[in-house]
Amino acid sequence: MESVNGKSAMQLCGEGFMIANAKTDDGKWDWRTFGTGEGFTADLIIAGFLSADRIQAGTITANKLASDVGQSLDLSSNTSIRMTVENVASKEIEEQIGYRVEISTDAGEVLSDYVKKTTLRARVYRGSREVTNDIAASRFHWKRTSADATADALWDSAHVGVKQFQLTNADVFFSATYTCEISDE
């Protein structure tokens, strides 16, 4: 049976269900076997909706692939999908992990007549990974809190943009607490 436009034909015979969309040099249809009593073979299926209980394929190419996989989907054998999922998950987790700042000294936490200076260092961590070197010094803002708020403000403005500094007895008015804040980019 030939199509109305003459560009394709189908035939059902004892050999099977035959299809053709081209003709040979002598003008006869170039038949291909689409189906026999053994089953159907297709090198191209054009469909709006394809329903199946199980599909096995070497490669599936799709602009959009959706599936209701029930309780689980095993992607362990597909390296590309697994790597993509791992990368997306890692980025999502990384975005949820906050930063923390730890301040350390090289000569203890208390200045006295015997310990007249020490170096205060701010170390920044994201999760368990130190990221201090990844952050520009300009984002580091040291703050001093003492009994003299005016002097603290002057001290604070002089200690912006450094990851570490040397603290001396001259920086302490009786008692002071030092913190370091990291500004947004």
Side-chain angles (χ1 to χ4, degrees):
M1 181 179 306
E2 190 171 304
S3 67
V4 174
N5 64 10
K7 294 184 178 182
S8 62
M10 296 187 297
Q11 172 179 289
L12 183 59
C13 60
E15 295 176 19
F17 183 22
M18 314 296 280
I19 59 173
N21 63 357
K23 294 187 178 182
T24 61
D25 290 338
D26 61 2
K28 296 182 182 179
W29 286 109
D30 187 10
W31 296 106
R32 297 181 314 194
T33 304
F34 176 66
T36 68
E38 301 291 320
F40 285 88
T41 303
D43 54 5
L44 174 65
I45 295 177
I46 300 172
F49 178 80
L50 182 62
S51 177
D53 289 332
R54 186 180 340 160
I55 298 174
Q56 181 176 354
T59 302
I60 295 177
T61 303
N63 290 335
K64 181 178 180 184
L65 187 60
S67 176
D68 179 2
V69 296
Q71 295 297 316
S72 67
L73 175 61
D74 182 6
L75 301 174
S76 60
S77 64
N78 189 314
T79 303
S80 178
I81 290 175
R82 190 177 69 242
M83 297 293 286
T84 299
V85 169
E86 287 172 356
N87 288 343
V88 169
S90 293
K91 287 177 185 173
E92 289 290 324
I93 291 169
E94 184 74 18
E95 289 175 8
Q96 298 302 317
I97 295 174
Y99 291 92
R100 78 177 188 282
V101 179
E102 292 183 5
I103 298 173
S104 63
T105 67
D106 61 359
E109 296 179 8
V110 178
L111 296 179
S112 67
D113 290 337
Y114 301 105
V115 180
K116 297 185 185 282
K117 62 182 177 177
T118 188
T119 300
L120 266 61
R121 273 182 203 84
R123 290 197 172 102
V124 183
Y125 294 87
R126 189 165 197 183
S128 61
R129 186 172 61 95
E130 184 176 358
V131 295
T132 308
N133 291 337
D134 300 338
I135 300 172
S138 60
R139 294 178 55 197
F140 287 68
H141 300 268
W142 289 89
K143 305 282 183 192
R144 181 178 81 175
T145 305
S146 72
D148 186 347
T150 304
D152 290 344
L154 291 170
W155 188 95
D156 293 353
S157 64
H159 292 85
V160 173
V162 294
K163 297 180 181 184
Q164 66 182 33
F165 68 93
Q166 191 169 64
L167 181 70
T168 68
N169 285 339
D171 293 304
V172 181
F173 177 70
F174 184 66
S175 176
T177 302
Y178 297 87
T179 59
C180 185
E181 296 175 359
I182 311 302
S183 65
D184 292 335
E185 293 182 47

